Amino acid sequence: MTRAETKERNRRALLDAAFGVVSRDGYRAKLEEIAARAEVTTGAIYSLFGSKNGLVVAMITDYLSPHYTEIEQAITAEMDLLGAVEAFARYYRRSCDAPDALSGLTLQITLLDMAVHDPDLGTQLAESIRAQEHHLTALFTGRSHNAHTVTPAQAQRLATALRALFVGLSQGVILGLAPDADEQYFADAARALAAGLDHADHSNSSTPQELS
C-alpha cells in the first residue's frame, strides 16, 4: 500500500476498534487495547487523532455521519417544513429497529458517562454533536410553513428540540418502555413541535414573510 493508503487503513481500523472498546469500557477504555485491536502502535493514535479524546470525537463523527447522509436523502427539496420534520421522524423511528440500535444506545449512555468523568471530552463531544446538528438545521431552513419561511435561528431551535425529543423516545422504544411509539407517533410528535412555530413572536423577523 502507499503511505496514504496505510494511513487511511490505520485510521479506519482505529475507529472500528475504538467503537468496540469504548462502548464496552467507557472512560476506562485503554489506548493499548484499542491499538492492539487495530494492529497499530499507540503512537499511531496520537499521530492520527492527537489524543484519546480526539479519537473518541472522531469515532462519534464517523458513527453519526452516515445517519445524517441518509436523513438528507429522506428529506427532499420540495417538502414544506411539516413534511420535512415528518420524514425525519419516520427515519428516526425506523432506526430504532436497526440491527445496531442497541449497540448505538449503549454507546450513547457510555459517552454520557465519559463526559461526566472528563469535562474536556464533554465539551468536545458537545461541539461535535452541534456540528452534526447544523446539517439538520440547514435542511429545515428556508422551507415554507403556513405562508412563511423558516429562518436559520428557528430551524436551529427546532432541530435541537427534535433531537432531544427523539433521543428520549428512541431510548424508550429500544428498551421496550414505549411499545406504542410507532412511526406515526414519532411523526405526530415532530409535527406538534414544528407547529409550535406558529405561536412564535414575530417581532424579530427579518422580513414579514419570515418566522421569528
Side-chain angles (χ1 to χ4, degrees), residues 8-23:
E8 180 55 29
R9 178 268 168 201
N10 291 344
R11 178 182 174 277
R12 181 72 264 160
L14 282 168
L15 291 172
D16 292 341
F19 186 91
V21 177
V22 170
S23 295

Side-chain angles (χ1 to χ4, degrees), residues 1-206:
M1 292 189 293
T2 66
R3 184 175 181 179
E5 289 172 338
T6 299
K7 182 177 180 180
E8 180 55 29
R9 178 268 168 201
N10 291 344
R11 178 182 174 277
R12 181 72 264 160
L14 282 168
L15 291 172
D16 292 341
F19 186 91
V21 177
V22 170
S23 295
R24 185 193 68 200
D25 297 339
Y27 69 93
R28 298 183 183 85
K30 302 296 186 184
L31 289 182
E32 292 78 8
E33 181 178 357
I34 294 173
R37 284 196 180 196
E39 299 180 343
V40 299
T41 66
T42 55
I45 295 175
Y46 292 102
S47 175
L48 290 167
F49 301 102
S51 64
K52 177 181 176 180
N53 283 357
L55 172 59
V56 172
V57 171
M59 178 195 73
I60 296 307
T61 300
D62 181 71
Y63 176 76
L64 291 177
S65 291
H67 293 283
Y68 279 93
T69 298
E70 292 172 0
I71 290 168
E72 290 174 358
Q73 294 171 348
I75 301 176
T76 58
E78 69 274 8
M79 292 177 175
D80 63 6
L81 179 65
L82 293 185
V85 298
E86 179 169 340
F88 175 53
R90 291 184 180 279
Y91 169 85
Y92 213 110
R93 176 59 183 84
R94 288 194 296 271
S95 71
C96 296
D97 299 325
D100 65 345
L102 184 57
S103 62
L105 176 58
T106 300
L107 178 64
Q108 184 183 112
I109 295 171
T110 298
L111 289 171
L112 288 175
D113 183 55
M114 293 178 72
V116 169
H117 285 85
D118 187 340
D120 181 60
L121 175 60
T123 298
Q124 293 182 58
L125 288 174
E127 291 174 353
S128 176
I129 292 172
R130 280 195 294 269
Q132 295 293 326
E133 195 173 280
H134 289 331
H135 294 298
L136 188 59
T137 299
L139 287 174
F140 293 152
T141 299
R143 294 186 185 272
S144 63
H145 182 57
N146 287 349
H148 298 286
T149 299
V150 179
T151 67
Q154 286 186 310
Q156 176 63 61
R157 293 181 65 181
L158 180 59
T160 299
L162 286 171
R163 182 176 58 78
L165 171 67
F166 291 147
V167 165
L169 280 177
S170 63
Q171 289 176 356
V173 171
I174 295 169
L175 294 175
L177 302 176
D180 297 327
D182 56 10
E183 274 193 39
Q184 191 59 51
Y185 188 102
F186 271 57
D188 290 344
R191 291 174 71 93
L193 269 181
L197 293 176
D198 295 338
H199 307 293
D201 176 9
H202 295 265
S203 60
N204 294 323
S205 298
S206 57

